[in-house]
Amino acid sequence: MHDPHSERMSAGETRAASGLALVFAFRMLGMFMVLPVLATYGMDLEGATPLLIGLAIGAYGLTQALLQIPFGILSDRIGRLPVIYVGLLIFAAGAALAATADSIWGVIAGRVLQGAGAISAAVMALLSDLTREQHRTKAMAMIGMSIGLSFAVAMVTGPLLTRAYGLSGLFWVTSGMALLGIVIVAGMVPRASSTLQHRESGVAKQALWPTLRNPDLLRLDLGIFVLHAILMASFIALPLALVEQGGLAKEEHWWVYLSALLIGFFGMVPFIIYAEKKRQMKRVLTGAVLVLLLCELFFWLCGNSLRLLVLGIILFFTAFNLLEASLPSLISKVSPAGGKGTAMGVYSTSQFLGAALGGILGGWLYQIGGLGAVFVGCALLALFWVFIAATMREPPYVTSLRRPLSTAALADTGLVGRLLAIPGVSDAVVVAEEAALYIKVDTQQLDRALFERELEEAPVTHSA
């Protein structure tokens, strides 16, 4: 038995977080590895047109967006593991279908089927079942890092694998990684003793409508929608620009993406620190969107040599990495107490819809107007986002807490009112069916003595 209040993650929690992070990473690798290669290698497929290449790049987003929240709710009903196993099998089948296809339509069908293995919400819910309150943020951060790392690895290994084994080989590797994910879940991830209903990591139907009506959250949902639309559309044009205007053979693209991602990752870190420490999230976010806009205009007007294209791609990925890291943090800050899981569900759905639209839009723009049309289209999307970002309010700099409540505390109708009267407490809600209190506090303004006196019956544990 481990101490329930231990500051260190137990061996079981570490195994759960590591195993599920690996499953996420393998799955996202399979999603993203085609991104840098489909525009250049996919035109050899029967029936391929730029529009259909774009559809193949973004197709997974359609089914992912449609099924992610339903699969999460289904995992509450029938258990996490059946949903995860079936989702990974569907993903593997989709990759195998794309691998055996000799036409663009076969690849599109495979990508649609890949997206139908929408296990993100079920994996996050299982992680909540297997970790204690005080370690849940750490465990979720491990998954977040695995997603970011898998994107970077995919951008480099995609071109290398395709050079060695062709597009079909790339899809076979993807299928194999999904099956390996099943082995990892079966052999490495502990079994959960119970299914936890937890509003910070799962979608609550009661919170769905308020989330969809929240203007601050909608701005962020629109932001991630536009960001992934720009990413997918840009990757119709950038690989082709590197070949046509940079004179770089498609087999050599990996070093461009490796350089851009490494420099971009380290380049974003000072801005993340500044945004949090100085409480300037709005300024940093709007600035990063402006950089995206300028990058697209730069590709359009100046991207006629390899050196300039590489410079533009480095700046693009610095802004992209910064936005990709900042937006989930903003969702956590802006969402109401007890509403983070639902807000993240809607956010992820917006992200996948953006990926689907971006692929289709990028392919269509390239078909009607070439590389320039894609870059101008992406610049217009970024300009739209600049106006949306400029109208957002500075987010509250708050931490989410969750506290189990005793029967007596649940019956205390004045508890929420007294907590909201404490300086630094911005939101609080009691969820009776979980016997829990969700609360949001500004740690710099919080009157800790008063807060702890009010909550002295039981320890408060961090969940965000």
Side-chain angles (χ1 to χ4, degrees):
M1 287 291 289
H2 55 260
D3 176 4
H5 304 303
S6 167
E7 288 304 308
R8 297 180 62 179
M9 291 176 80
S10 68
E13 286 173 319
T14 304
R15 272 175 42 223
S18 305
L20 293 174
L22 272 175
V23 170
F24 243 111
F26 286 159
R27 193 169 150 278
M28 299 313 282
L29 261 174
M31 289 294 192
F32 287 130
M33 278 197 299
V34 301
L35 198 53
V37 297
L38 208 50
T40 46
Y41 287 84
M43 288 306 288
D44 297 334
L45 292 163
E46 182 190 327
T49 66
L51 175 60
L52 294 179
I53 292 287
L55 180 57
I57 283 177
Y60 80 93
L62 290 170
T63 38
Q64 189 85 18
L66 285 171
L67 294 174
Q68 190 200 199
I69 290 177
F71 269 37
I73 294 169
L74 184 64
S75 79
D76 289 338
R77 296 261 178 88
I78 67 169
R80 318 294 188 207
L81 290 177
V83 170
I84 292 170
Y85 287 142
V86 169
L88 287 169
L89 283 171
I90 291 170
F91 184 91
L97 177 60
T100 55
D102 52 12
S103 75
I104 189 65
W105 286 107
V107 171
I108 290 168
R111 292 284 281 170
V112 167
L113 193 56
Q114 273 188 304
I119 60 166
S120 304
V123 170
M124 295 305 262
L126 179 59
L127 189 70
S128 288
D129 296 343
L130 293 170
T131 51
R132 288 165 291 161
E133 292 282 346
Q134 64 265 41
H135 300 307
R136 198 158 294 133
T137 303
K138 211 183 302 177
M140 288 186 173
M142 287 171 70
I143 285 189
M145 285 192 300
S146 79
I147 294 170
L149 188 62
S150 66
F151 177 75
V153 172
M155 300 306 292
V156 178
T157 55
L160 289 172
L161 281 170
T162 312
R163 179 172 74 174
Y165 306 111
L167 262 184
S168 70
L170 180 71
F171 282 117
W172 280 124
V173 169
T174 299
S175 186
M177 286 194 299
L179 296 175
L180 186 57
I182 293 173
V183 174
I184 289 168
V185 175
M188 185 174 174
V189 177
R191 302 288 82 100
S193 56
S194 63
T195 298
L196 179 70
Q197 298 296 318
H198 196 304
R199 287 203 177 193
E200 296 290 74
S201 57
V203 173
K205 283 178 278 190
Q206 312 92 307
L208 199 51
W209 181 237
T211 299
L212 293 171
R213 287 187 308 151
N214 185 314
D216 293 324
L217 288 173
L218 286 176
R219 280 190 184 86
L220 299 173
D221 294 335
L222 199 59
I224 195 66
F225 176 90
V226 171
L227 181 63
H228 277 256
I230 289 173
L231 177 72
M232 295 297 164
S234 294
F235 270 93
I236 302 290
L238 285 175
L240 295 169
L242 286 170
V243 172
E244 294 171 16
Q245 295 173 193
L248 186 67
K250 60 188 179 183
E251 294 82 10
E252 301 299 321
H253 288 192
W254 64 271
W255 69 260
V256 175
Y257 302 128
L258 178 61
S259 308
L261 282 158
L262 282 175
I263 297 169
F265 176 78
F266 289 108
M268 75 160 181
V269 172
F271 295 101
I272 293 271
I273 294 168
Y274 169 77
E276 288 287 354
K277 295 279 186 195
K278 302 293 185 184
R279 301 197 164 196
Q280 295 289 346
M281 290 289 283
K282 178 182 174 180
R283 178 182 291 182
V284 169
L285 180 91
T286 309
V289 181
L290 269 172
V291 171
L292 270 192
L293 167 60
L294 292 172
C295 284
E296 297 294 345
L297 293 174
F298 179 79
F299 292 138
W300 175 44
L301 297 169
C302 309
N304 48 15
S305 74
L306 182 59
R307 185 177 295 175
L308 290 174
L309 281 169
V310 171
L311 174 64
I313 291 170
I314 288 170
L315 287 171
F316 177 90
F317 274 115
T318 304
F320 175 82
N321 287 338
L322 178 55
L323 290 162
E324 188 82 349
S326 300
L327 286 167
S329 167
L330 283 165
I331 289 280
S332 183
K333 292 179 194 308
V334 168
S335 58
K340 180 181 158 192
T342 307
M344 284 304 297
V346 175
Y347 170 86
S348 296
T349 300
S350 305
Q351 175 180 326
F352 292 123
L353 284 173
L357 175 85
I360 296 164
L361 181 67
W364 176 71
L365 286 171
Y366 181 76
Q367 194 158 304
I368 62 168
L371 294 174
V374 180
F375 295 135
V376 170
C378 289
L380 289 171
L381 278 173
L383 182 63
F384 170 64
W385 189 8
V386 168
F387 287 119
I388 297 295
T391 61
M392 72 182 271
R393 295 181 295 181
E394 193 65 48
Y397 290 85
V398 291
T399 301
S400 300
L401 311 169
R402 180 183 187 271
R403 173 182 178 261
L405 292 179
S406 64
T407 307
L410 274 174
D412 182 355
T413 54
L415 177 63
V416 168
R418 294 197 305 277
L419 288 169
L420 289 173
I422 297 172
V425 176
S426 64
D427 196 9
V429 64
V430 170
V431 180
E433 57 267 30
E434 292 181 36
L437 169 76
Y438 290 92
I439 191 163
K440 305 196 85 159
V441 299
D442 183 330
T443 52
Q444 287 189 14
Q445 297 177 10
L446 183 66
D447 183 333
R448 287 186 181 276
L450 187 56
F451 180 68
E452 284 166 14
R453 195 157 61 244
E454 196 62 61
L455 292 172
E456 61 190 2
E457 286 182 18
V460 176
T461 50
H462 288 253
S463 70

